[in-house]
Amino acid sequence: MEEGTPEAGLPPVNRYHESSGCTPLDKLIGGGYPKKMITQIYGEPGGGKSTFCLLAAVSVLKAGKCVIYVDTESFSVDRFTQIAGSRAEELSERFYLYEAADFDQQASMIQDAGHILSTRDTGLIVVDSATGLYRTELEHGQDSLQRLSRQIVVLLGYAKRYDIPILLTNQVYMDPAKNDFAPLGGTSLFHLSKVILRIDRMDVLRRVRIVKHHAQPEGDYLNFSMVQEGIQVSGEQINQCPNP
């Protein structure tokens, strides 16, 4: 079994985190995705953000809990099946998938998630991507940003009320001032996310790096590659990035 799959000797469930589905990644971020908080993963298209979401979702499902998954980017049943393996059909019974077609529908689906949370033992909410449909609303300026912030505040309320982590993916734009990619959503999304991870594509490998963390060193990273069952970490060491 590959290192970055949900059955690769994951640490026991604890009071403060849900496993990411990858042991080295759990170590990088201090035990897994923190409960009562929002974790944001951003990066260029095709970097592996959705795979990180599915790894976490399958890990939580295998622990016997439900997962609420809001998708705005064409959910891949094949990828879910690859990661879930022979238990895919069984696990899908506790997998609540919402597929939003526009930004208003995304807001409605996030509100509707409250009904599931109040009646099902839920371990994780995923929004992949939180800003995919928001991007189409940017012409409305500040109003769109406020609507996005309201959605994120609702999610944060769920995290605190039900003691679960929220996992968001975020799209990027080119910041000409920095000549680098930057996440969408402005300072509001940055401040509401207590953990922020960035994925970069390199020649062969990809890199996930801590941009912000309430308890772990910023700049630490892991290199990984994509495999059918999830991700394969290049060594288990956590590397200190000299220029985060």
Side-chain angles (χ1 to χ4, degrees):
M1 187 66 64
E2 301 287 352
E3 288 176 339
T5 66
E7 292 186 347
L10 295 175
V13 175
N14 61 57
R15 292 176 54 196
Y16 305 108
H17 304 88
E18 289 286 355
S19 174
S20 67
C22 174
T23 302
L25 181 58
D26 284 347
K27 292 178 181 177
L28 178 73
I29 57 178
Y33 297 123
K35 298 177 181 180
K36 299 184 183 292
M37 298 181 188
I38 292 174
T39 296
Q40 175 191 157
I41 303 176
Y42 74 90
E44 298 177 71
K49 298 185 299 294
S50 294
T51 293
F52 276 55
C53 291
L54 289 173
L55 279 170
V58 169
S59 178
V60 170
L61 291 168
K62 287 183 174 179
K65 298 180 182 180
C66 298
V67 171
I68 297 170
Y69 200 106
V70 181
D71 185 84
T72 68
E73 301 201 323
S74 301
F75 182 81
S76 173
V77 175
D78 290 341
R79 192 65 174 133
F80 175 82
T81 301
Q82 287 175 348
I83 293 173
S86 61
R87 296 181 61 188
E89 184 174 356
E90 169 207 343
L91 297 179
S92 68
E93 295 177 1
R94 284 180 276 107
F95 186 74
Y96 293 87
L97 175 64
Y98 292 86
E99 296 185 278
D102 57 50
F103 199 48
D104 287 335
Q105 193 174 65
Q106 177 175 314
S108 297
M109 289 175 172
I110 288 173
Q111 289 286 349
D112 188 62
H115 298 297
I116 297 172
L117 288 163
S118 64
T119 57
R120 299 288 186 272
D121 182 14
T122 303
L124 175 70
I125 298 178
V126 175
V127 184
D128 182 26
S129 136
T131 54
L133 298 172
Y134 159 75
R135 194 167 206 158
T136 66
E137 300 283 324
L138 287 178
E139 63 186 54
H140 301 299
Q142 192 66 26
D143 177 64
S144 298
L145 186 58
Q146 290 174 351
R147 290 165 62 201
L148 175 65
S149 296
R150 285 196 292 269
Q151 292 181 24
I152 305 305
V153 168
V154 170
L155 290 167
L156 182 58
Y158 290 155
K160 293 181 180 298
R161 189 176 312 128
Y162 295 99
D163 192 30
I164 60 173
I166 307 294
L167 181 59
L168 310 177
T169 67
N170 193 0
Q171 296 190 355
V172 296
Y173 69 97
M174 176 56 72
D175 185 344
K178 298 181 180 178
N179 193 31
D180 193 10
F181 292 105
L184 291 170
T187 57
S188 177
L189 184 52
F190 179 88
H191 289 306
L192 290 170
S193 303
K194 294 302 182 184
V195 177
I196 301 179
L197 305 176
R198 169 172 170 155
I199 296 178
D200 288 300
R201 301 182 66 173
M202 301 184 289
D203 290 340
V204 177
L205 297 174
R206 292 120 194 265
R207 173 173 294 171
V208 56
R209 173 167 59 86
I210 297 177
V211 174
K212 176 184 176 182
H213 200 290
H214 64 287
Q216 296 296 111
E218 296 176 5
D220 283 7
Y221 67 87
L222 288 173
N223 293 333
F224 68 95
S225 57
M226 304 289 289
V227 295
Q228 179 168 315
E229 299 87 353
I231 65 173
Q232 173 66 52
V233 173
S234 179
E236 291 197 25
Q237 74 280 5
I238 297 173
N239 302 288
Q240 180 63 44
C241 183
N243 295 300

